[in-house]
Every structure is written in C-alpha cells, then in structure tokens.
Amino acid sequence: MIKKVYHLSTCSTCKRIIKELELVEKGFELQNVKEQSIDETILDELVKVSGDYESLFNRRSVLYRERNLKEQVLTEDDYKKLLLEHYSFLKRPVIQVGEQFFIGNSKKTIEAAKEYLNSL
C-alpha cells in the first residue's frame, strides 16, 4: 500500500501535521514538493478525489499575490498549468494512503486523516 506525504519541508504547518499524525513512525514516504514536484499522474488522481483543480489550489501562495491571480478569471486549465508549474500553488500537505487522499491542512481534513489512519 502506498503511504506518502507530499509536503514542503520548510512549512511549519506541514511539519506539525506530520508529527501530530506520526506519519514518519507509520512508515510514510515524505516527498518534498520543492525538490521533487508533484507529477501530472498524481495531480490527476487528486482531481478524481477533489472534483476539480481549483480545489487543490493554494490561494495563500506568495506567487498568487505577486502575479495578481486574484484579479484574473482562471479556468480549470489555468489551475492545472499553475499547479504543475510551481509547487507553492498546491494545497499542502497531501497525505496518500493507498487510493485515499487527504488534501490540505484544514482541521476537518486532518481529523479525517487521523480517523482513517486509526482505523487501519
């Protein structure tokens, strides 16, 4: 079973969640998205779970503000291109357990991941 976390190693929120869920101790592979970008295959898997590229998009990204993307009308193709272009546009962390994905750092998402991991 695939057990993987897509994260940013310098992100304090990602570090806190990895520690809180004891992912390293549970044998999860850590992929720092800054060093090894998420590929299109995984992105397509994430879209199947999330419903669209926009829901994977991190609007808190510095690049989002710098490029004034808030002022633009972005299509799903735009979101996909941006997600593949730069790691900072992806909501983090992304926790993969087999075919199950938990995307982002909302309290609800982390609680769902915790419950799922405890049920294994």
Side-chain angles (χ1 to χ4, degrees):
M1 177 190 320
I2 297 172
K3 292 167 54 174
K4 197 166 190 175
V5 181
Y6 302 91
H7 71 108
L8 184 58
S9 63
T10 56
C11 172
S12 59
T13 302
C14 288
K15 289 178 189 177
R16 177 184 53 79
I17 291 167
I18 290 167
K19 184 176 181 179
E20 178 183 332
L21 299 179
E22 301 175 333
L23 298 177
V24 172
E25 295 82 354
K26 292 177 180 171
F28 277 75
E29 176 187 346
L30 302 180
Q31 180 174 324
N32 182 0
V33 294
K34 184 175 181 178
E35 294 173 357
Q36 185 182 352
S37 299
I38 197 159
D39 63 29
E40 192 168 357
T41 305
I42 294 297
L43 192 59
D44 290 342
E45 289 296 314
L46 292 174
V47 167
K48 288 177 188 173
V49 173
S50 69
D52 58 21
Y53 292 102
E54 183 178 4
S55 63
L56 302 171
F57 198 79
N58 175 15
R59 287 186 170 73
R60 294 181 179 174
S61 167
V62 173
L63 282 180
Y64 182 74
R65 291 189 299 274
E66 286 178 356
R67 294 184 185 182
N68 290 321
L69 295 175
K70 184 178 182 179
E71 310 303 318
Q72 299 176 30
V73 177
L74 299 174
T75 65
E76 277 294 288
D77 282 342
D78 294 330
Y79 285 118
K80 181 178 181 179
K81 286 176 190 166
L82 290 165
L83 286 162
L84 290 170
E85 175 189 320
H86 200 272
Y87 67 89
S88 69
F89 289 125
L90 179 67
K91 279 187 182 175
R92 302 175 305 268
V94 174
I95 302 167
Q96 179 181 7
V97 189
E99 300 298 314
Q100 185 76 32
F101 289 89
F102 300 92
I103 303 162
N105 58 31
S106 74
K107 189 171 185 166
K108 182 180 174 184
T109 299
I110 300 311
E111 282 303 314
K114 189 182 290 186
E115 284 181 32
Y116 187 79
L117 291 170
N118 289 337
S119 73
L120 296 178

